[in-house]
Amino acid sequence: VTLFSWLVWLNPDTPLELIPVLPQVHNGNNEALLMVKEVKDKKAFLALRLWPSNYRLKPKQTPLWVGNVTLLRPVTRTGLTVPRTQTDFDTPLQRLRQTPLSLPIKPFRRHSALAGWSGEGLLIRER
């Protein structure tokens, strides 16, 4: 966080692409990778966050990463404008699935009691 980011957060008219995205914590750690893409038709960001796990996939000991895809919208509260994670997790995941990636992707589904998430996910592995 810099002086510039504080000034940006204090201005509710700041363009979306200039608003700094705050880190998100998983298991006590900030994300190791954050990729953000502006979604102009929604006036929002699509954010992909990844954290390393302690697991490796055999036979090559490929690291396993965990992550999420979320939609962030700017929200102004108590004078600060910051991107806020939306509670719908399925729509951002569908947007990611429609994005051409040069990595092998395999969809999966698991039971979920989390509101806003159907339990659908993607396994993306390195080549």
Side-chain angles (χ1 to χ4, degrees):
V1 177
T2 65
L3 178 60
F4 177 74
S5 59
W6 277 105
L7 292 174
V8 168
W9 287 328
L10 289 170
N11 181 359
D13 297 324
T14 298
L16 185 63
E17 66 272 6
L18 294 180
I19 299 174
V21 176
L22 296 170
Q24 196 172 59
V25 176
H26 172 71
N27 282 345
N29 297 307
N30 290 344
E31 67 268 357
L33 176 68
L34 168 63
M35 296 189 332
V36 179
K37 178 181 178 183
E38 188 175 353
V39 182
K40 293 189 186 275
D41 61 325
K42 300 278 187 185
K43 295 184 180 176
F45 296 118
L46 188 64
L48 170 65
R49 290 182 164 99
L50 297 174
W51 295 265
S53 74
N54 294 326
Y55 297 98
R56 304 262 177 197
L57 302 175
K58 292 183 180 182
K60 297 181 182 179
Q61 296 299 311
T62 305
L64 181 64
W65 294 73
V66 295
N68 64 29
V69 184
T70 57
L71 197 64
L72 306 172
R73 290 190 194 283
V75 174
T76 302
R77 295 232 170 94
T78 63
L80 292 177
T81 302
V82 294
R84 183 172 180 164
T85 300
Q86 303 301 293
T87 57
D88 172 15
F89 296 96
D90 287 330
T91 304
L93 184 62
Q94 293 307 319
R95 279 193 178 260
L96 179 66
R97 288 180 85 175
Q98 295 167 359
T99 302
L101 297 173
S102 60
L103 296 169
I105 296 176
K106 180 180 178 184
F108 72 89
R109 182 174 293 278
R110 62 178 267 194
H111 173 73
S112 171
L114 179 66
W117 184 51
S118 67
E120 184 176 343
L122 299 176
L123 291 174
I124 304 172
R125 62 181 174 91
E126 297 176 9
R127 289 186 179 205

